[in-house]
Amino acid sequence: MARATAGTRVKAVDSLNPYLHARGVACMFDNCSTTARLGARKWDPRFDYLLIHVAYPALDDKAVDPTPFGAFERHVLHQVLAVCSQMLPSVALIVA
């Protein structure tokens, strides 16, 4: 299992997330390789259908075991990330 490094976190928080917020996911897809772009466009409707018509209704109907979700919410990693986020310098990133 691969683990994210601090550099990866910084890239996501300081550059990728603001870029996606400013331009949208479609812009990112359009600037990826042909293989990545076609794969993302192919799988998007399938994931969308599964989320809207299968996963969300199952969660609403309480037909899903809540144990894994509780374990995720209580995982120690959330505390670690909270401490790491306090160490980030305040930087205003502008995507034009």
Side-chain angles (χ1 to χ4, degrees):
M1 180 177 187
R3 66 186 179 127
T5 64
T8 304
R9 180 197 45 77
V10 169
K11 289 175 189 173
V13 172
D14 292 345
S15 61
L16 181 60
N17 292 348
Y19 178 83
L20 291 177
H21 180 71
R23 303 271 169 80
V25 176
C27 181
M28 183 180 76
F29 287 165
D30 292 340
N31 290 294
C32 285
S33 68
T34 302
T35 304
R37 184 174 59 251
L38 293 176
R41 301 257 187 240
K42 174 184 175 181
W43 287 100
D44 177 60
R46 296 175 188 190
F47 283 123
D48 186 54
Y49 175 83
L50 288 173
L51 285 173
I52 292 173
H53 297 287
V54 178
Y56 293 151
L59 288 171
D60 291 340
D61 296 340
K62 308 286 190 239
V64 177
D65 178 19
T67 306
F69 298 101
F72 172 76
E73 291 172 352
R74 290 186 304 276
H75 197 279
V76 69
L77 183 60
H78 296 292
Q79 296 168 354
V80 171
L81 292 174
V83 171
C84 289
S85 67
Q86 294 171 356
M87 296 179 190
L88 284 175
S90 59
V91 176
L93 182 68
I94 298 172
V95 179

Coordinates of all heavy atoms in Angstrom, one line a residue:
M1 N 0.8 -1.2 0.0 CA 0.0 0.0 0.0 C 0.9 1.2 0.0 O 1.8 1.4 0.8 CB -0.9 0.0 1.2 CG -1.8 1.1 1.4 SD -2.8 0.8 2.8 CE -3.9 2.2 2.6
A2 N 0.6 2.1 -0.9 CA 1.4 3.4 -1.0 C 1.0 4.3 0.1 O -0.2 4.3 0.5 CB 1.2 4.0 -2.4
R3 N 1.9 5.1 0.6 CA 1.5 6.1 1.6 C 1.9 7.5 1.0 O 2.9 7.7 0.3 CB 2.1 5.8 2.9 CG 3.6 6.0 3.0 CD 4.1 5.5 4.3 NE 5.5 5.7 4.2 CZ 6.3 6.4 5.0 NH1 5.8 6.9 6.1 NH2 7.6 6.5 4.8
A4 N 1.0 8.4 1.4 CA 1.3 9.8 0.9 C 2.3 10.5 1.7 O 2.4 10.3 2.9 CB 0.0 10.6 1.0
T5 N 3.2 11.2 1.1 CA 4.2 12.0 1.8 C 3.7 13.4 2.0 O 2.7 13.8 1.5 CB 5.5 12.0 0.9 OG1 5.2 12.7 -0.3 CG2 6.0 10.6 0.6
A6 N 4.5 14.1 2.9 CA 4.1 15.5 3.1 C 4.1 16.3 1.9 O 3.3 17.2 1.7 CB 5.1 16.1 4.1
G7 N 5.0 16.0 0.9 CA 5.1 16.7 -0.3 C 3.8 16.5 -1.1 O 3.3 17.4 -1.8
T8 N 3.3 15.3 -1.1 CA 2.0 15.0 -1.8 C 0.9 15.8 -1.2 O 0.1 16.3 -1.9 CB 1.7 13.5 -1.7 OG1 2.8 12.8 -2.3 CG2 0.5 13.1 -2.5
R9 N 0.8 15.8 0.1 CA -0.2 16.6 0.8 C -0.2 18.1 0.4 O -1.1 18.7 0.1 CB -0.2 16.4 2.3 CG -1.3 17.2 3.0 CD -1.0 17.3 4.5 NE 0.4 17.8 4.8 CZ 0.8 19.0 4.7 NH1 0.1 20.0 4.2 NH2 2.1 19.3 5.0
V10 N 1.1 18.6 0.4 CA 1.3 20.0 0.1 C 0.8 20.3 -1.3 O 0.1 21.3 -1.6 CB 2.7 20.4 0.3 CG1 3.0 21.8 -0.3 CG2 3.0 20.4 1.8
K11 N 1.1 19.4 -2.3 CA 0.7 19.5 -3.6 C -0.8 19.6 -3.8 O -1.3 20.4 -4.5 CB 1.3 18.4 -4.5 CG 2.8 18.5 -4.7 CD 3.3 17.3 -5.5 CE 4.8 17.3 -5.5 NZ 5.3 16.0 -6.1
A12 N -1.4 18.7 -3.1 CA -2.9 18.6 -3.1 C -3.5 19.9 -2.5 O -4.4 20.5 -3.1 CB -3.4 17.4 -2.4
V13 N -3.1 20.2 -1.3 CA -3.7 21.3 -0.6 C -3.3 22.7 -1.2 O -4.2 23.6 -1.3 CB -3.3 21.3 0.9 CG1 -3.8 22.6 1.6 CG2 -3.9 20.1 1.6
D14 N -2.1 22.9 -1.6 CA -1.6 24.2 -2.0 C -1.8 24.4 -3.5 O -1.7 25.6 -4.0 CB -0.2 24.4 -1.7 CG 0.0 24.5 -0.2 OD1 -1.0 24.7 0.5 OD2 1.2 24.4 0.3
S15 N -1.9 23.4 -4.3 CA -2.0 23.6 -5.8 C -3.2 22.9 -6.4 O -4.0 23.6 -7.1 CB -0.7 23.2 -6.5 OG -0.5 21.9 -6.3
L16 N -3.4 21.6 -6.2 CA -4.4 20.9 -6.9 C -5.8 21.3 -6.5 O -6.7 21.6 -7.3 CB -4.2 19.4 -6.7 CG -5.3 18.5 -7.4 CD1 -5.2 18.8 -8.9 CD2 -5.0 17.1 -7.1
N17 N -6.1 21.4 -5.2 CA -7.4 21.7 -4.7 C -7.8 23.1 -5.1 O -9.0 23.3 -5.6 CB -7.5 21.5 -3.2 CG -7.5 20.1 -2.8 OD1 -7.6 19.2 -3.6 ND2 -7.3 19.8 -1.5
P18 N -7.0 24.2 -5.0 CA -7.4 25.5 -5.5 C -7.6 25.5 -7.0 O -8.5 26.2 -7.5 CB -6.2 26.4 -5.1 CG -5.6 25.7 -3.9 CD -5.7 24.2 -4.2
Y19 N -6.8 24.8 -7.7 CA -6.9 24.7 -9.2 C -8.3 24.1 -9.5 O -9.0 24.6 -10.4 CB -5.8 23.9 -9.8 CG -5.9 23.7 -11.3 CD1 -5.4 24.7 -12.1 CD2 -6.5 22.6 -11.9 CE1 -5.5 24.6 -13.5 CE2 -6.6 22.5 -13.2 CZ -6.1 23.5 -14.0 OH -6.2 23.4 -15.4
L20 N -8.6 23.0 -8.9 CA -9.9 22.3 -9.2 C -11.1 23.2 -8.8 O -12.1 23.3 -9.4 CB -10.0 21.0 -8.4 CG -9.1 19.9 -9.0 CD1 -9.2 18.6 -8.1 CD2 -9.3 19.6 -10.4
H21 N -10.9 23.9 -7.7 CA -12.0 24.9 -7.2 C -12.2 26.0 -8.3 O -13.3 26.4 -8.6 CB -11.6 25.5 -5.9 CG -12.7 26.4 -5.4 ND1 -13.9 26.0 -4.9 CD2 -12.7 27.7 -5.2 CE1 -14.6 27.0 -4.5 NE2 -13.9 28.1 -4.7
A22 N -11.1 26.5 -8.8 CA -11.2 27.6 -9.8 C -11.6 27.1 -11.1 O -12.4 27.8 -11.8 CB -9.8 28.3 -9.9
R23 N -11.1 26.0 -11.6 CA -11.4 25.6 -13.0 C -12.3 24.4 -13.1 O -12.9 24.2 -14.2 CB -10.0 25.2 -13.6 CG -9.0 26.2 -13.6 CD -9.1 27.1 -14.9 NE -8.3 28.3 -14.8 CZ -7.0 28.4 -15.0 NH1 -6.3 27.3 -15.3 NH2 -6.4 29.5 -14.9
G24 N -12.5 23.6 -12.1 CA -13.4 22.4 -12.2 C -12.6 21.2 -12.6 O -11.6 21.2 -13.2
V25 N -13.3 20.1 -12.3 CA -12.7 18.8 -12.6 C -12.6 18.5 -14.1 O -11.7 17.9 -14.6 CB -13.5 17.6 -11.9 CG1 -12.9 16.3 -12.2 CG2 -13.4 17.8 -10.4
A26 N -13.6 19.0 -14.8 CA -13.6 18.8 -16.3 C -12.4 19.4 -16.9 O -11.8 18.8 -17.8 CB -14.9 19.4 -16.9
C27 N -11.9 20.5 -16.4 CA -10.7 21.2 -17.0 C -9.5 20.3 -16.7 O -8.6 20.1 -17.6 CB -10.5 22.5 -16.4 SG -9.1 23.4 -17.0
M28 N -9.5 19.7 -15.5 CA -8.3 18.8 -15.2 C -8.4 17.6 -16.2 O -7.4 17.2 -16.7 CB -8.4 18.3 -13.8 CG -7.2 17.5 -13.4 SD -7.2 16.9 -11.7 CE -8.5 15.6 -11.8
F29 N -9.6 17.0 -16.4 CA -9.7 15.9 -17.3 C -9.2 16.2 -18.7 O -8.5 15.5 -19.3 CB -11.1 15.4 -17.4 CG -11.6 14.6 -16.1 CD1 -12.9 14.4 -15.9 CD2 -10.7 14.1 -15.2 CE1 -13.4 13.7 -14.8 CE2 -11.1 13.4 -14.1 CZ -12.5 13.2 -13.9
D30 N -9.7 17.4 -19.1 CA -9.3 17.8 -20.5 C -7.8 18.0 -20.7 O -7.4 18.0 -21.9 CB -10.1 19.1 -20.8 CG -11.6 18.9 -20.9 OD1 -12.0 17.7 -21.1 OD2 -12.3 19.8 -20.8
N31 N -7.1 18.2 -19.7 CA -5.6 18.5 -19.8 C -4.8 17.3 -19.4 O -3.6 17.4 -19.3 CB -5.2 19.7 -18.9 CG -5.8 21.0 -19.6 OD1 -5.4 21.3 -20.6 ND2 -6.7 21.6 -18.9
C32 N -5.5 16.1 -19.2 CA -4.7 14.9 -18.9 C -4.4 14.2 -20.2 O -4.8 14.6 -21.3 CB -5.6 14.0 -18.0 SG -5.8 14.5 -16.3
S33 N -3.7 13.0 -20.0 CA -3.4 12.2 -21.2 C -4.7 11.7 -21.8 O -5.7 11.6 -21.1 CB -2.5 11.1 -20.8 OG -3.2 10.2 -19.9
T34 N -4.6 11.2 -23.0 CA -5.8 10.7 -23.7 C -6.4 9.5 -22.9 O -7.6 9.4 -22.7 CB -5.4 10.3 -25.1 OG1 -4.9 11.4 -25.8 CG2 -6.6 9.7 -25.8
T35 N -5.5 8.6 -22.4 CA -5.9 7.5 -21.7 C -6.7 7.8 -20.4 O -7.7 7.3 -20.2 CB -4.7 6.6 -21.4 OG1 -4.1 6.2 -22.6 CG2 -5.2 5.3 -20.7
A36 N -6.1 8.8 -19.7 CA -6.7 9.2 -18.4 C -8.0 9.9 -18.7 O -9.0 9.7 -18.0 CB -5.8 10.1 -17.6
R37 N -8.0 10.7 -19.7 CA -9.2 11.5 -20.0 C -10.4 10.6 -20.5 O -11.5 10.7 -20.0 CB -8.9 12.5 -21.1 CG -10.1 13.4 -21.5 CD -9.7 14.5 -22.5 NE -9.2 14.0 -23.7 CZ -8.0 14.1 -24.1 NH1 -7.1 14.7 -23.4 NH2 -7.6 13.6 -25.3
L38 N -10.1 9.6 -21.3 CA -11.1 8.7 -21.8 C -11.6 7.8 -20.7 O -12.8 7.5 -20.6 CB -10.6 7.9 -23.0 CG -10.3 8.7 -24.3 CD1 -9.7 7.8 -25.3 CD2 -11.6 9.3 -24.8
G39 N -10.7 7.4 -19.8 CA -11.0 6.5 -18.7 C -11.9 7.2 -17.7 O -13.0 6.7 -17.3
A40 N -11.6 8.5 -17.4 CA -12.4 9.3 -16.5 C -13.8 9.5 -17.1 O -14.8 9.4 -16.4 CB -11.7 10.6 -16.2
R41 N -13.9 9.9 -18.4 CA -15.2 10.1 -19.0 C -16.0 8.8 -19.1 O -17.2 8.9 -19.0 CB -14.9 10.7 -20.4 CG -14.2 12.0 -20.4 CD -15.1 13.2 -20.5 NE -14.3 14.4 -20.7 CZ -14.4 15.4 -19.9 NH1 -15.2 15.4 -18.8 NH2 -13.7 16.5 -20.0
K42 N -15.3 7.7 -19.3 CA -16.0 6.4 -19.4 C -16.6 6.0 -18.1 O -17.8 5.6 -18.0 CB -15.1 5.3 -19.9 CG -15.7 3.9 -19.9 CD -14.7 2.9 -20.3 CE -15.3 1.5 -20.2 NZ -14.3 0.5 -20.5
W43 N -15.9 6.1 -17.0 CA -16.3 5.6 -15.7 C -17.2 6.6 -14.9 O -17.9 6.2 -14.0 CB -15.1 5.2 -14.8 CG -14.5 4.0 -15.3 CD1 -13.4 3.8 -16.1 CD2 -15.0 2.7 -15.1 NE1 -13.2 2.5 -16.4 CE2 -14.2 1.8 -15.8 CE3 -16.1 2.1 -14.4 CZ2 -14.4 0.4 -15.8 CZ3 -16.3 0.8 -14.4 CH2 -15.4 -0.1 -15.1
D44 N -17.2 7.9 -15.2 CA -17.9 8.9 -14.5 C -19.4 8.6 -14.5 O -20.0 8.6 -13.4 CB -17.7 10.3 -15.1 CG -18.6 11.3 -14.4 OD1 -18.4 11.5 -13.1 OD2 -19.4 11.9 -15.1
P45 N -20.1 8.3 -15.6 CA -21.5 8.0 -15.5 C -21.8 6.7 -14.7 O -22.9 6.6 -14.0 CB -22.0 7.8 -16.9 CG -20.8 8.2 -17.8 CD -19.6 8.3 -16.9
R46 N -20.9 5.8 -14.7 CA -21.1 4.5 -13.9 C -21.1 4.8 -12.4 O -21.9 4.3 -11.7 CB -20.1 3.5 -14.3 CG -20.3 3.1 -15.8 CD -19.2 2.1 -16.3 NE -19.4 1.9 -17.7 CZ -18.7 1.0 -18.4 NH1 -17.8 0.2 -17.8 NH2 -18.9 0.9 -19.7
F47 N -20.0 5.6 -12.0 CA -19.9 5.9 -10.6 C -21.1 6.8 -10.2 O -21.6 6.6 -9.1 CB -18.6 6.6 -10.3 CG -17.4 5.7 -10.2 CD1 -16.4 5.9 -11.1 CD2 -17.4 4.6 -9.4 CE1 -15.3 5.0 -11.0 CE2 -16.4 3.7 -9.3 CZ -15.3 3.9 -10.1
D48 N -21.5 7.7 -11.0 CA -22.6 8.6 -10.7 C -23.9 7.8 -10.5 O -24.6 8.0 -9.5 CB -22.8 9.6 -11.9 CG -23.8 10.6 -11.5 OD1 -23.7 11.3 -10.5 OD2 -24.8 10.8 -12.3
Y49 N -24.2 6.8 -11.4 CA -25.3 6.0 -11.2 C -25.3 5.2 -9.9 O -26.3 5.1 -9.2 CB -25.5 5.0 -12.4 CG -26.6 4.1 -12.2 CD1 -27.9 4.4 -12.6 CD2 -26.4 2.8 -11.7 CE1 -29.0 3.6 -12.4 CE2 -27.4 1.9 -11.5 CZ -28.7 2.3 -11.8 OH -29.7 1.4 -11.6
L50 N -24.1 4.6 -9.7 CA -24.0 3.8 -8.4 C -24.2 4.6 -7.2 O -24.8 4.1 -6.2 CB -22.7 3.0 -8.4 CG -22.5 1.9 -9.4 CD1 -21.1 1.3 -9.4 CD2 -23.5 0.8 -9.1
L51 N -23.6 5.8 -7.2 CA -23.8 6.6 -6.0 C -25.3 7.1 -5.8 O -25.8 6.9 -4.7 CB -22.9 7.9 -6.1 CG -21.4 7.6 -5.8 CD1 -20.6 8.9 -6.1 CD2 -21.2 7.2 -4.4
I52 N -25.8 7.6 -6.9 CA -27.2 8.2 -6.7 C -28.3 7.1 -6.6 O -29.2 7.3 -5.8 CB -27.5 9.1 -8.0 CG1 -26.6 10.3 -7.9 CG2 -29.0 9.5 -8.0 CD1 -26.7 11.2 -9.1
H53 N -28.2 6.0 -7.3 CA -29.2 5.0 -7.3 C -29.0 3.8 -6.4 O -29.9 3.0 -6.2 CB -29.5 4.5 -8.7 CG -30.0 5.6 -9.6 ND1 -31.2 6.2 -9.5 CD2 -29.3 6.3 -10.6 CE1 -31.3 7.2 -10.4 NE2 -30.2 7.3 -11.1
V54 N -27.8 3.6 -5.9 CA -27.5 2.4 -5.1 C -27.0 2.9 -3.7 O -27.6 2.5 -2.7 CB -26.5 1.5 -5.8 CG1 -26.2 0.3 -4.9 CG2 -27.0 1.0 -7.1
A55 N -25.9 3.6 -3.7 CA -25.2 3.9 -2.4 C -26.0 4.8 -1.5 O -26.2 4.5 -0.3 CB -23.8 4.4 -2.6
Y56 N -26.4 6.0 -2.1 CA -27.1 7.0 -1.2 C -28.5 6.4 -0.7 O -28.8 6.6 0.5 CB -27.3 8.3 -2.0 CG -26.0 9.0 -2.3 CD1 -25.9 9.8 -3.4 CD2 -24.9 8.9 -1.4 CE1 -24.8 10.5 -3.6 CE2 -23.8 9.6 -1.7 CZ -23.7 10.4 -2.8 OH -22.6 11.1 -3.1
P57 N -29.3 5.7 -1.6 CA -30.5 5.2 -1.0 C -30.3 4.1 0.1 O -31.0 4.1 1.1 CB -31.2 4.5 -2.2 CG -30.7 5.3 -3.4 CD -29.3 5.7 -3.0
A58 N -29.2 3.3 -0.1 CA -28.9 2.3 0.9 C -28.5 3.0 2.2 O -28.9 2.5 3.3 CB -27.8 1.4 0.5
L59 N -27.8 4.1 2.2 CA -27.4 4.8 3.4 C -28.6 5.5 4.0 O -28.8 5.4 5.2 CB -26.4 5.9 3.1 CG -25.0 5.4 2.8 CD1 -24.1 6.5 2.3 CD2 -24.3 4.8 4.0
D60 N -29.5 6.0 3.2 CA -30.7 6.7 3.7 C -31.7 5.6 4.4 O -32.3 5.9 5.4 CB -31.5 7.4 2.6 CG -30.7 8.6 2.1 OD1 -29.9 9.1 2.9 OD2 -31.0 9.1 1.0
D61 N -31.7 4.4 3.8 CA -32.6 3.4 4.3 C -32.0 2.6 5.5 O -32.5 1.6 6.0 CB -33.0 2.4 3.2 CG -33.8 3.1 2.1 OD1 -34.4 4.1 2.4 OD2 -33.8 2.5 1.0
K62 N -30.8 3.0 5.9 CA -30.0 2.3 7.0 C -29.8 0.8 6.6 O -29.8 0.0 7.5 CB -30.8 2.4 8.3 CG -31.1 3.9 8.7 CD -29.9 4.6 9.1 CE -30.4 5.9 9.8 NZ -29.9 7.1 9.2
A63 N -29.7 0.5 5.3 CA -29.4 -0.8 4.9 C -27.9 -1.2 4.9 O -27.6 -2.3 4.4 CB -30.0 -1.0 3.5
V64 N -27.1 -0.3 5.3 CA -25.7 -0.5 5.3 C -25.2 -0.6 6.7 O -25.6 0.2 7.6 CB -25.0 0.7 4.6 CG1 -23.5 0.5 4.6 CG2 -25.5 0.7 3.1
D65 N -24.2 -1.5 7.0 CA -23.6 -1.6 8.3 C -22.8 -0.3 8.6 O -21.8 0.0 7.9 CB -22.7 -2.8 8.3 CG -22.0 -3.0 9.6 OD1 -22.5 -2.4 10.7 OD2 -21.0 -3.8 9.7
P66 N -23.1 0.4 9.7 CA -22.4 1.7 9.9 C -21.0 1.5 10.6 O -20.3 2.4 10.8 CB -23.3 2.4 10.9 CG -24.1 1.3 11.6 CD -24.2 0.2 10.6
T67 N -20.7 0.2 10.9 CA -19.4 0.0 11.6 C -18.2 0.5 10.9 O -17.4 1.2 11.5 CB -19.2 -1.5 11.9 OG1 -20.4 -2.0 12.6 CG2 -18.0 -1.8 12.8
P68 N -18.0 0.3 9.6 CA -16.8 0.8 8.9 C -16.8 2.3 8.9 O -15.7 2.9 9.0 CB -16.9 0.3 7.5 CG -17.9 -0.9 7.6 CD -18.8 -0.6 8.7
F69 N -17.9 3.0 8.8 CA -17.9 4.4 8.8 C -17.5 5.0 10.2 O -16.8 6.0 10.2 CB -19.3 4.9 8.5 CG -19.8 4.5 7.1 CD1 -20.6 3.4 6.9 CD2 -19.3 5.1 6.0 CE1 -21.0 3.0 5.7 CE2 -19.7 4.7 4.7 CZ -20.5 3.7 4.5
G70 N -18.0 4.4 11.3 CA -17.6 4.8 12.6 C -16.1 4.6 12.8 O -15.4 5.5 13.4
A71 N -15.6 3.5 12.3 CA -14.1 3.2 12.5 C -13.3 4.3 11.7 O -12.3 4.7 12.2 CB -13.8 1.8 12.0
F72 N -13.8 4.6 10.5 CA -13.1 5.7 9.7 C -13.1 7.0 10.5 O -12.1 7.7 10.6 CB -13.8 5.8 8.4 CG -13.3 7.0 7.6 CD1 -12.0 6.9 7.0 CD2 -14.0 8.1 7.5 CE1 -11.6 8.0 6.2 CE2 -13.5 9.2 6.7 CZ -12.3 9.1 6.1
E73 N -14.3 7.4 11.0 CA -14.4 8.7 11.7 C -13.5 8.8 13.0 O -13.1 9.8 13.3 CB -15.9 8.9 12.1 CG -16.7 9.2 10.9 CD -18.2 9.3 11.2 OE1 -18.6 9.0 12.3 OE2 -19.0 9.6 10.3
R74 N -13.3 7.6 13.6 CA -12.5 7.6 14.8 C -11.0 7.3 14.6 O -10.3 7.3 15.5 CB -13.1 6.5 15.8 CG -14.4 6.9 16.4 CD -14.8 5.9 17.4 NE -14.8 4.5 16.9 CZ -15.8 3.9 16.3 NH1 -16.9 4.6 16.0 NH2 -15.8 2.7 15.9
H75 N -10.6 7.1 13.3 CA -9.2 6.8 13.0 C -8.3 7.9 13.5 O -8.6 9.1 13.4 CB -9.1 6.5 11.5 CG -7.8 5.8 11.2 ND1 -6.6 6.4 11.1 CD2 -7.7 4.4 11.0 CE1 -5.7 5.5 10.8 NE2 -6.3 4.3 10.7
V76 N -7.1 7.5 14.0 CA -6.1 8.4 14.5 C -5.6 9.3 13.5 O -5.1 10.4 13.8 CB -5.0 7.6 15.2 CG1 -4.2 6.8 14.2 CG2 -4.1 8.5 16.1
L77 N -5.7 8.9 12.2 CA -5.1 9.8 11.1 C -5.8 11.1 11.1 O -5.1 12.1 10.8 CB -5.3 9.1 9.8 CG -4.7 9.8 8.6 CD1 -3.2 10.0 8.8 CD2 -5.0 9.1 7.3
H78 N -7.0 11.2 11.5 CA -7.7 12.5 11.5 C -7.1 13.5 12.5 O -6.9 14.7 12.2 CB -9.2 12.4 11.8 CG -9.9 11.6 10.8 ND1 -10.2 12.0 9.5 CD2 -10.5 10.3 10.9 CE1 -10.8 11.1 8.8 NE2 -11.0 10.1 9.6
Q79 N -6.6 13.0 13.6 CA -5.9 13.8 14.6 C -4.6 14.3 14.0 O -4.2 15.4 14.2 CB -5.8 13.1 15.9 CG -7.1 12.8 16.6 CD -6.9 11.8 17.7 OE1 -5.8 11.3 18.0 NE2 -8.0 11.5 18.4
V80 N -3.9 13.4 13.4 CA -2.6 13.7 12.8 C -2.7 14.8 11.7 O -2.0 15.7 11.7 CB -1.9 12.4 12.2 CG1 -0.7 12.7 11.4 CG2 -1.7 11.4 13.3
L81 N -3.7 14.6 10.9 CA -3.9 15.6 9.8 C -4.3 17.0 10.4 O -3.9 18.0 9.9 CB -5.0 15.1 8.8 CG -4.6 13.9 8.0 CD1 -5.7 13.5 7.1 CD2 -3.4 14.3 7.1
A82 N -5.1 17.0 11.5 CA -5.4 18.2 12.1 C -4.2 19.0 12.6 O -4.0 20.2 12.5 CB -6.4 18.0 13.3
V83 N -3.3 18.2 13.2 CA -2.0 18.8 13.7 C -1.2 19.3 12.5 O -0.6 20.4 12.6 CB -1.2 17.8 14.6 CG1 0.2 18.4 14.9 CG2 -2.0 17.5 15.9
C84 N -1.1 18.5 11.5 CA -0.3 18.9 10.3 C -0.9 20.2 9.7 O -0.1 21.0 9.2 CB -0.3 17.8 9.3 SG 0.7 16.4 9.8
S85 N -2.2 20.3 9.6 CA -2.8 21.4 9.0 C -2.5 22.7 9.8 O -2.5 23.8 9.2 CB -4.3 21.2 8.8 OG -5.0 21.2 10.1
Q86 N -2.3 22.6 11.1 CA -2.0 23.8 11.9 C -0.5 24.3 11.6 O -0.2 25.4 11.8 CB -2.1 23.5 13.3 CG -3.5 23.2 13.8 CD -3.6 22.7 15.2 OE1 -2.6 22.5 15.9 NE2 -4.8 22.5 15.7
M87 N 0.3 23.4 11.0 CA 1.7 23.7 10.7 C 1.8 24.4 9.3 O 2.9 24.9 9.0 CB 2.5 22.5 10.8 CG 2.6 21.9 12.1 SD 3.6 20.4 12.1 CE 3.3 19.7 13.7
L88 N 0.8 24.3 8.5 CA 0.9 24.9 7.2 C 1.0 26.4 7.3 O 0.3 27.1 8.0 CB -0.4 24.6 6.4 CG -0.5 23.2 5.8 CD1 -1.8 23.0 5.1 CD2 0.6 22.9 4.8
P89 N 1.9 27.0 6.5 CA 1.9 28.5 6.5 C 0.7 29.0 5.8 O 0.1 28.4 4.9 CB 3.2 28.8 5.6 CG 3.4 27.5 4.8 CD 2.9 26.4 5.6
S90 N 0.3 30.2 6.2 CA -0.9 30.8 5.5 C -0.4 31.4 4.2 O 0.4 32.3 4.2 CB -1.5 31.8 6.4 OG -0.6 32.8 6.7
V91 N -0.9 30.8 3.1 CA -0.5 31.3 1.8 C -1.7 31.5 1.0 O -2.6 30.6 0.9 CB 0.4 30.2 1.1 CG1 0.7 30.7 -0.3 CG2 1.7 30.0 1.8
A92 N -1.9 32.7 0.4 CA -3.0 32.9 -0.5 C -2.6 32.6 -1.9 O -1.7 33.2 -2.5 CB -3.4 34.4 -0.4
L93 N -3.2 31.5 -2.5 CA -2.9 31.1 -3.8 C -4.0 31.5 -4.7 O -5.2 31.3 -4.5 CB -2.8 29.5 -3.8 CG -2.5 28.9 -5.2 CD1 -1.0 29.3 -5.5 CD2 -2.6 27.4 -5.1
I94 N -3.6 32.2 -5.8 CA -4.6 32.7 -6.7 C -4.4 32.0 -8.1 O -3.3 31.9 -8.6 CB -4.4 34.2 -7.0 CG1 -4.7 35.0 -5.6 CG2 -5.4 34.7 -8.0 CD1 -4.3 36.4 -5.7
V95 N -5.5 31.4 -8.6 CA -5.4 30.7 -9.8 C -6.2 31.6 -10.8 O -7.3 31.9 -10.7 CB -6.1 29.3 -9.8 CG1 -6.1 28.7 -11.1 CG2 -5.5 28.5 -8.7
A96 N -5.4 32.1 -11.8 CA -6.0 33.0 -12.8 C -6.4 32.3 -14.0 O -6.0 31.2 -14.4 CB -5.0 34.1 -13.2

